[in-house]
Amino acid sequence: MNSNIPLIETEQLTKSYGAKSAVEAVSFQVHSGEIFGFLGPNGAGKTTTIKMIVGLLKPTTGAARVGGYDVQAQPIQAKSITGYVPDEPNLYAKLTGRELLRFVGNLYRMDRKQVDRRSEELLRLFDLLQAADDTIDSYSHGMQQKTSLAAALMHDPKVLVLDEPTVGLDPRSSRLIKDILKQMAERGSAVFLSTHILEIAERMCDRIGIINQGRLIAVGSMDDLRRMSQGVTSLEDIFLNLTGGAEYSEIAEVLS
Amino acid sequence: MRQTAEEAVRVSVSHSVWTLVRLRWMIFLIGFRRASRVRKLVVIFIFLISLGGIGVIILISRYLLTFLKNPLLAEGVGNLDAVLNSIPNVLITGAFIGILVTSFGVLLQALYLAGDMDFLLSRPVPIRAVFITKLLQAVLPSFILICAIALPIMFGLGLAQGYSLLFYPLVLLELVVLSLAAAGFSSLLVMAVVRVIPARRVAEIIGFTGATLSFLCSQSGQLARLDNLSPGDLSQVLVIFQRFDSPLSPLYWAGLGLVGVGNGDWLNGIGLVAITVFAAGGIFGVSLVTAEKLYYSGWASMQVRVQKAKQVRREKSGISVPRIALIERLISPAAWAVTIKDWTVIRRDIRNMSQLITPLIFGIIYAVMFLRGGRQVPVGRGEAPAWFMDLMGGFVVYANIGLSLFVGWMLLGRLAGMAFSQEGKNYWLLKTSPIKPVELVTAKYLVSFLPVLALGWGFLVAIMLIQRESLGLLLYSMVVVAFSICGNAGINLAFGIAGARLDWEDPRQMQRGSMSCLGALVSMVYLVSSLILFFAAPFLAEILGLPEAFGQTIGLLVGCPFCLACAVIPLWLVRQRVEFLGEAKV
């Protein structure tokens, strides 16, 4: 894999359902060692974009490339270096946590010893060792979310894509995830995460992309975004300025 | 404008019940109004047909029960007056037990597993009102169904026996109060059970037990020898009715009371009816009072309790896949991992077990019938010529194969037909992993083919050992079964891919109905065709007096390629669909 090429790249990525465009001509790049935050209001097209990047959804036009591999043309190569954590941790309820991690390891064609070692490491890291032999249907939402993240990390991916990874997690687990993401970036992986928690995006992300009504309306570092918003300093204000949140003051008036 | 806390407290239970019941009614009405015209017409048609059906049952009951009083019949089976007087008791007992049993599962869903409980219990609605509404909601469908059967028979009995007019409203009253009592009693059982076993587990067990028992009951009639019924047997069956007449049972008092009212024995009749109405009301009242404590605490504890974890015995290999050298050479470790994962998930989910056990029960029942017949061709009326009977006798040898393939066909409908659908919302995990579509199809194929082959062969070997067939015939049969299952698995899997649904909440919605039916139909046609191809040559060889082995070899040469083609071609036709499976709608 060429080290100069971006690990995630979308080129005029578009997804339409009939006449309606869920995502329209979205282009950006995420490089090795970078944490990229993807923000947008509900229904803006974040999850659709993510699903096209990980190969869950076929773009109507445009392309998504992971590690230089076209996700549609070379899906096996692209998927083998990607780890994905969905917004809803739908996991096989009748498998145990340990079985799920081993299954995922086998899917990624990992060596048996490596699978055993790695699954034990991740179970310990996410504090799941005690529940490792319980079926997943007995896990709380937070435990399922952690299992989902552990599954995404099993094969030590070069690209990690996370859709709202901290939803339902306690502060300790949330902190753990943030630390893991930072470490992965330091080790040269590319991390792409969507979140509604602007504090996470502001503190953790090297660059931020804001999507609204299917269009990428801003991309850049915090400084770049501040410059674009002409002096507005907080990400919340920048976000509301760009996506149109001024009308919320009227709602507050009605409620009062 | 804003409701105060004091005002909220004053809201009565009846008002809350009315509000909640009205909500259900509104949901039904809105659903009906928004339904397509065809759907509306179907609903109206079903309603009218049901009304007509009730009328027909009343008439049939009337004439049938009048017939039981016929002196000629009495000569054969004895006096049936006592039997007629037992009918109200039998029906009331049946209705009570029916509602008790059926409402257990419905109440479990309504009280503990319904998605609206968080919403309802976080509002200022009395818990008793929530409980009553749930109870009514749960009992209503069973009550309507039971009334649709029991009421017309009771009314038919009233007409046949010339009962007084008061009999009819009292029948309805008894059914209503006893249904409420049964539901109340059932709710207490649910609350007690859920305190010990997690609600979801109970639901799974009920699903499994219900499906298995209903299939067993439906098929057990096959073992009965109904063709040899004598008048003595009939009178014995009718006498069973009187066994319900237990003087200690309040349900018997209810039946006796109704008969008393019908015959104009007012004092006894009304007295017994009143006792049972009060007893039923008492049970319902107790269940309401108990519910306030048991239900809320049980539901609340369910929210905070980490479900009693089901520890799975830690196996050394776990799902890290048993290594089978031959298989590893043929398929990728990823595909084999998916196969092992599927078997583990299917085995552990008890809801699947009922679907898998059904073919086994079916196979055992029909094998028993087949063996009981001593491999003889049914003589019928003896009109068939001798040469035809000889020919059929030779053909019966292959009935074992047909039987084991039929059992396999039923199992394949579940295993192959739903191989992709059973992934449900977990499919993202496979779709985002580096596994090729062909590997996935191979894995899913093996998930169904291997167990069905093992079952088919096991079944075949068992029957043929009992029948002491030759080794040659056994080997031939095993090859036929293997190839036939091979093709059938391909067809079922292809239809499973074409009709796959991954967004289901209820496992019964796993596959699109039309594809499921079409798949069953096509695979049945395939099964018959493959058997014709395998057996035509041995059959002809028998007619022409050629060696049996020659005919069987020709049969294999014709049948095996056909089966292989049927395994591959349908899957090749749907290969591109696999890539698009799980394309989530946004």
Side-chain angles (χ1 to χ4, degrees), chain A residues 117-169:
Chain A
R117 186 179 49 77
R118 186 79 174 147
S119 57
E120 290 303 307
E121 274 174 13
L122 287 166
L123 288 168
R124 192 172 299 113
L125 179 68
F126 286 104
D127 206 13
L128 290 167
L129 214 47
Q130 255 196 327
D133 294 314
D134 300 341
T135 49
I136 290 170
D137 56 4
S138 68
Y139 286 13
S140 66
H141 178 84
M143 286 165 81
Q144 290 190 21
Q145 188 78 355
K146 287 195 282 186
T147 311
S148 178
L149 187 62
L153 296 173
M154 261 304 280
H155 60 293
D156 194 15
K158 285 294 288 175
V159 172
L160 191 59
V161 180
L162 307 100
D163 197 354
E164 301 279 354
T166 53
V167 170
L169 291 182

Side-chain angles (χ1 to χ4, degrees), chain A residues 79 90 92 99 109 133-134, chain B residues 319 348 423 431 434 439:
Chain A
K79 288 172 183 178
N90 288 311
Y92 296 101
E99 285 173 339
R109 293 159 172 83
D133 294 314
D134 300 341
Chain B
I319 205 157
R348 287 201 189 138
E423 291 291 336
K431 182 124 175 129
E439 289 176 314

Side-chain angles (χ1 to χ4, degrees), chain B residues 261-313:
Chain B
V261 169
N263 286 325
D265 182 2
W266 304 114
L267 190 66
N268 280 334
I270 291 179
L272 285 171
V273 167
I275 288 171
T276 49
V277 167
F278 282 117
I283 292 175
F284 185 66
V286 167
S287 69
L288 275 190
V289 174
T290 317
E292 289 210 353
K293 290 177 182 171
L294 268 181
Y295 177 42
Y296 185 69
S297 60
W299 183 84
S301 69
M302 220 176 83
Q303 307 309 302
V304 291
R305 177 180 57 192
V306 174
Q307 204 181 38
K308 194 178 174 187
K310 189 190 163 199
Q311 281 260 333
V312 172
R313 191 159 45 89

Side-chain angles (χ1 to χ4, degrees), chain B residues 292-539:
Chain B
E292 289 210 353
K293 290 177 182 171
L294 268 181
Y295 177 42
Y296 185 69
S297 60
W299 183 84
S301 69
M302 220 176 83
Q303 307 309 302
V304 291
R305 177 180 57 192
V306 174
Q307 204 181 38
K308 194 178 174 187
K310 189 190 163 199
Q311 281 260 333
V312 172
R313 191 159 45 89
R314 189 175 166 181
E315 298 151 25
K316 265 196 170 174
S317 55
I319 205 157
S320 65
V321 181
R323 303 267 156 149
I324 299 173
L326 178 68
I327 288 173
E328 281 194 344
R329 262 184 232 166
L330 295 174
I331 61 167
S332 73
W336 187 231
V338 174
T339 306
I340 297 289
K341 181 272 294 173
D342 274 8
W343 284 336
T344 312
V345 170
I346 289 170
R347 183 166 51 84
R348 287 201 189 138
D349 194 339
I350 199 165
R351 289 172 303 184
N352 293 320
M353 293 311 288
S354 62
Q355 290 167 313
L356 300 179
I357 273 180
T358 304
L360 290 179
I361 297 171
F362 188 86
I364 291 166
I365 288 174
Y366 281 86
V368 168
M369 284 171 62
F370 180 62
L371 292 171
R372 204 166 62 178
R375 283 181 52 196
Q376 296 299 312
V377 182
V379 287
R381 294 181 194 165
E383 289 158 357
W387 65 267
F388 180 79
M389 294 304 284
D390 287 345
L391 207 61
M392 289 308 291
F395 205 60
V396 164
V397 171
Y398 300 111
N400 297 332
I401 300 175
L403 201 56
S404 63
L405 283 177
F406 192 60
V407 172
W409 172 77
M410 290 177 75
L411 202 59
L412 280 170
R414 165 64 186 84
L415 285 177
M418 296 179 194
F420 275 88
S421 291
Q422 73 178 23
E423 291 291 336
K425 290 178 180 170
N426 305 319
Y427 190 66
W428 68 269
L429 201 72
L430 294 179
K431 182 124 175 129
T432 57
S433 63
I435 182 164
K436 294 175 193 160
V438 68
E439 289 176 314
L440 205 50
V441 171
T442 309
K444 296 293 183 183
Y445 185 87
L446 291 177
V447 167
S448 54
F449 175 70
L450 291 179
V452 174
L453 180 66
L455 179 80
W457 275 358
F459 195 70
L460 199 66
V461 169
I463 293 184
M464 291 187 115
L465 279 177
I466 292 169
Q467 292 181 330
R468 294 182 186 165
E469 296 289 2
S470 69
L471 184 66
L473 184 63
L474 175 65
L475 290 175
Y476 167 73
S477 306
M478 286 174 81
V479 174
V480 171
V481 165
F483 274 90
S484 193
I485 289 173
C486 166
N488 215 337
I491 291 171
N492 271 295
L493 186 58
F495 276 97
I497 292 168
R501 272 193 75 172
L502 302 169
D503 57 348
W504 50 267
E505 299 286 343
D506 183 335
R508 285 171 295 187
Q509 301 165 336
M510 264 191 205
Q511 206 174 19
R512 294 199 180 100
S514 54
M515 274 298 162
S516 186
C517 291
L518 202 61
L521 203 69
V522 172
S523 62
M524 185 40 100
V525 170
Y526 156 80
L527 191 66
V528 174
S529 311
S530 70
L531 288 179
I532 289 171
L533 290 177
F534 278 118
F535 298 152
F539 202 55

Side-chain angles (χ1 to χ4, degrees), chain B residues 143-161:
Chain B
F143 178 72
I144 290 172
L145 192 68
I146 279 170
C147 276
I149 300 164
L151 265 186
I153 298 177
M154 288 286 238
F155 286 2
L157 176 77
L159 291 171
Q161 294 281 76

Side-chain angles (χ1 to χ4, degrees), chain A residues 138-241:
Chain A
S138 68
Y139 286 13
S140 66
H141 178 84
M143 286 165 81
Q144 290 190 21
Q145 188 78 355
K146 287 195 282 186
T147 311
S148 178
L149 187 62
L153 296 173
M154 261 304 280
H155 60 293
D156 194 15
K158 285 294 288 175
V159 172
L160 191 59
V161 180
L162 307 100
D163 197 354
E164 301 279 354
T166 53
V167 170
L169 291 182
D170 58 49
R172 191 163 160 243
S173 306
S174 189
R175 175 63 183 265
L176 175 68
I177 287 180
K178 288 180 210 166
D179 290 347
I180 288 171
L181 299 186
K182 277 181 192 164
Q183 270 185 29
M184 288 201 64
E186 279 166 18
R187 287 172 49 214
S189 295
V191 178
F192 181 96
L193 72 112
S194 86
T195 180
H196 281 299
I197 304 171
L198 300 181
E199 180 260 337
I200 291 180
E202 197 165 1
R203 282 194 181 184
M204 285 183 62
C205 299
D206 302 302
R207 282 194 310 137
I208 289 165
I210 299 177
I211 187 170
N212 191 30
Q213 294 177 344
R215 289 175 174 275
L216 194 64
I217 52 174
V219 188
S221 64
M222 271 306 292
D223 289 338
D224 294 336
L225 293 179
R226 281 189 193 110
R227 269 195 296 277
M228 282 168 69
S229 293
Q230 293 163 347
V232 177
T233 51
S234 80
L235 182 58
E236 186 179 2
D237 290 336
I238 295 169
F239 179 82
L240 291 176
N241 267 355

